[in-house]
Amino acid sequence: MGGSEGEAAEPKSYWRCSKQDFFPEQSFQSWGSYRTALSQTWFRFKDRLFSRSDDVLEVNELRKQSENPMKKCLNWWDLIWFGFGSVIGAGIFVLTGQEAHKHAGPAIVLSYVASGLSAMLSVFCYTEFAVEIPVAGGSFAYLRVELGDFAAFITAGNILLESIIGSAAVARAWTSYFTTLLNRPPNSLRIHTNLAKDFNLLDPIAVAVIMIASTLAMISTRKTSYFNWIASAINNVVILFVIVAGFAHAKTSNMTPFLPYGTEGVFQAAAIVYFAYGGFDNIATMAEETRNPSRDIPLGLLGSMSIITVVYCLMALSLSMMQKYTDIDPNAAYSVAFQSVGMTWAKYLVALGALKGMTTVLLVGALGQARYTTHIARAHMIPPWFALVHPKTGTPINATLLITICSACIALFSSLDVLSSLLSVSTLFIFMMMAVALLVRRYYVRGITPPTDLLKFSIFLIIIIASSMGTASCWGLKPHGWVGYTITIPAWIAGTLGLCAFLPQRRTPKVWGVPLVPWLPSLSIATNLFLMGSLGAEAFERFAICTLVMLLYYVFFGVHATYDMAQHHQQLQQQQLKPDPLEAAENVDSNGNAAP
């Protein structure tokens, strides 16, 4: 698959672009080979559906596809700041006002508590995996090990979708706050066209910002970390000002009525503001470049997300107490709120802080997204050309360019409203799958778990997922009803209790593990599905269309590339296990007996 040994020994230029770099698999060597592969699609699909990777393959073998290693240059302090940089950005500054005005009212603080709880449950799952499997692939690598190639592919597609759309959404918000800083109308720097609504405002500034952030990410991970420290520190000063000044001008009368849109509004807003917590999964992709993953990742992930959750709740509360929810501006909430209390100058400080935050989100996002893409390419689910790591910079330049170009194209056309709801569906789906994978990792180990225990585990897991979907459906169809919950919630408790009482855990984490298993992962499944059920039908329609496109790609390309890759690894393993004839001859004496 990679050429002869002689060819492999020759140093290759990073800047190359041949068919073998994009399609080295046997299935794509000729049209005849491709037709043969297509005729075996169902067989190969079944093979990939039930096949699973392992820790050693993900950590050691797949890294060789990148030809050059990523540099281990990060510690827990870097990861904490990357956490701030990747999470605190457009979400808190843009979506807080939008959702407080439209869906939650003063109870927006409860929306942040609910989405923060769900995010923290996912953080626990990510942390255990990142410590055990410290590779750049993040959730893609973890799901390949526990749920198999096909589940990992669907997740990989959503990761790429989340990466591309997330960067585009943040870049569009960057332009909006930049116009505020210049004291101009929100769309004054965008180009008005006759295209369809939500796609008719072209945003060249968003494209430029994406390009600049990605360029810095390609140059050096360490230098990007330094820049992130400075920008995040400035942003945190602004956030501290927002909280203190907001409470200094607080009026308790603005908090009534506390639930103007009811509890359904709180959870609908929670599903949208979950976007504000997105990005922490980028930290898990840094594991391959972390000096001491077992210590640094738990400190970096859990430390940063705990602080961020508290900060978000305080910011949401300060906004609600400073201005009546009906008067909150959905587009520039904090700026207008300070203007309403006589601090007109503060809107420029808020805009500057928002710009700093969104810049670091784009910067850290460019790092994490490229590393996701790199590992997906290592597995040959996308062409392995995107897995190459530059020998001098130690960064995956090709993968960064892929995400950058796609994000820039979407940011040029699409509005933030269109992007944020679709992003929330993809993010919640990925985090739900991570919780499922954590339960699989703890309760099922190939060759150790008896078939009867596997059957029990499958039944209990199906009960947990089905009851969680049922609860979400009850909420979506009839929020004020209660009959459905009397079935779904006890079923969820029974499924989780069944795992706890009737099945032993087959794997114990070596260094750091999620506490209260199976309760916390099971609760993560339930909360993520519940928040998904709080989103509108339009978001799921877009999600379904994108998933269908991914499946078509998988049928015509992905399944064949990964099947050939798996066969190649099996052949290598067989060759390694096969005894060397010369060595065997040396161990036989003159009478043909084995030497002692």
Side-chain angles (χ1 to χ4, degrees), residues 91-244:
I92 186 65
F93 286 105
V94 177
L95 296 179
T96 306
Q98 173 185 305
E99 294 307 305
H101 183 81
K102 294 181 179 179
H103 295 127
I108 185 66
V109 64
L110 297 183
S111 300
Y112 273 106
V113 170
S115 54
L117 171 64
S118 181
M120 282 302 297
L121 293 172
S122 298
V123 168
F124 276 117
C125 297
Y126 265 91
T127 302
E128 178 172 328
F129 273 113
V131 170
E132 298 277 308
I133 312 174
V135 294
S139 53
F140 168 72
Y142 313 148
L143 293 179
R144 253 173 64 89
V145 171
E146 301 305 334
L147 301 182
D149 257 22
F150 182 68
F153 169 78
I154 296 298
T155 306
N158 279 285
I159 288 169
L160 294 179
L161 181 66
E162 177 193 9
S163 302
I164 294 166
I165 292 176
S167 294
V170 173
R172 295 282 296 201
W174 199 99
T175 304
S176 297
Y177 265 90
F178 186 58
T179 57
T180 301
L181 194 62
L182 298 177
N183 202 24
R184 298 182 62 171
N187 292 319
S188 60
L189 297 180
R190 296 188 173 113
I191 301 170
H192 296 252
T193 68
N194 295 323
L195 298 173
K197 185 179 179 296
D198 293 328
F199 301 95
N200 60 339
L201 295 173
L202 305 187
D203 197 336
I205 293 178
V207 173
V209 171
I210 290 174
M211 295 291 187
I212 293 170
S214 299
T215 301
L216 183 56
M218 286 187 282
I219 292 172
S220 168
T221 302
R222 191 64 192 161
K223 290 177 182 177
T224 303
S225 179
Y226 290 145
F227 181 85
N228 179 65
W229 285 2
I230 298 169
S232 295
I234 295 172
N235 190 34
N236 289 343
V237 170
V238 174
I239 287 172
L240 184 62
F241 165 80
V242 169
I243 294 172
V244 173

Side-chain angles (χ1 to χ4, degrees), residues 332-451:
Y334 289 95
S335 299
V336 174
F338 280 116
Q339 195 170 354
S340 70
V341 297
M343 298 177 67
T344 305
W345 58 270
K347 73 176 184 178
Y348 300 109
L349 184 63
V350 171
L352 179 63
L355 285 177
K356 289 286 185 183
M358 287 181 276
T359 302
T360 58
V361 167
L362 287 171
L363 190 62
V364 182
L367 285 175
Q369 293 154 13
R371 280 139 189 83
Y372 268 130
T373 308
T374 298
H375 204 75
I376 292 168
R378 286 171 176 173
H380 287 222
M381 285 194 177
I382 60 176
W385 185 77
F386 295 108
L388 299 177
V389 171
H390 196 279
K392 290 184 179 179
T393 65
T395 58
I397 293 178
N398 294 344
T400 308
L401 287 173
L402 173 66
I403 298 297
T404 301
I405 293 170
C406 293
S407 297
C409 291
I410 293 177
L412 183 63
F413 293 98
S414 305
S415 71
L416 183 62
D417 291 340
V418 172
L419 297 173
S420 60
S421 62
L422 179 56
L423 182 66
S424 293
V425 175
S426 297
T427 305
L428 290 166
F429 173 75
I430 293 167
F431 292 166
M432 184 275 295
M433 293 288 284
M434 281 294 298
V436 171
L438 193 281
L439 289 176
V440 173
R441 184 169 183 82
R442 289 292 192 93
Y443 286 94
Y444 173 65
V445 178
R446 281 171 292 181
I448 296 178
T449 304

